[in-house]
Amino acid sequence: MSQFGMHMPGGHASKGSDPDVYTALMFVGVVSMLIAVGMLWIAGSKVAPDANPLKIQDPDQIKLKK
């Protein structure tokens, strides 16, 4: 009968799914990774020439930002 939305009197109310501990751990992990990437980007832009941490330098001519 529950297939058609009918419930027996006194039956348990249907409950939606709630986030569990694994969802919370995944959220904390994603936030931590985003913070780590941001910190690496800032650190890389401090030493990279032209403040671009993605710029590829020639291996024989490494230059650091002054």
Side-chain angles (χ1 to χ4, degrees):
M1 285 193 293
S2 63
Q3 295 173 352
F4 306 108
M6 302 182 329
H7 300 284
M8 296 293 290
H12 297 300
S14 62
K15 180 181 167 188
S17 63
D18 290 332
D20 56 359
V21 68
Y22 299 111
T23 306
L25 286 174
M26 185 176 291
F27 178 74
V28 169
V30 168
V31 169
S32 299
M33 288 298 288
L34 290 174
I35 291 171
V37 167
M39 290 174 65
L40 286 174
W41 184 272
I42 291 170
S45 65
K46 286 182 180 180
V47 297
D50 302 329
N52 184 4
L54 296 179
K55 185 176 180 182
I56 298 174
Q57 294 188 26
D58 190 25
D60 297 329
Q61 299 175 357
I62 300 293
K63 300 175 190 170
L64 295 177
K65 184 177 175 183
K66 292 182 181 180

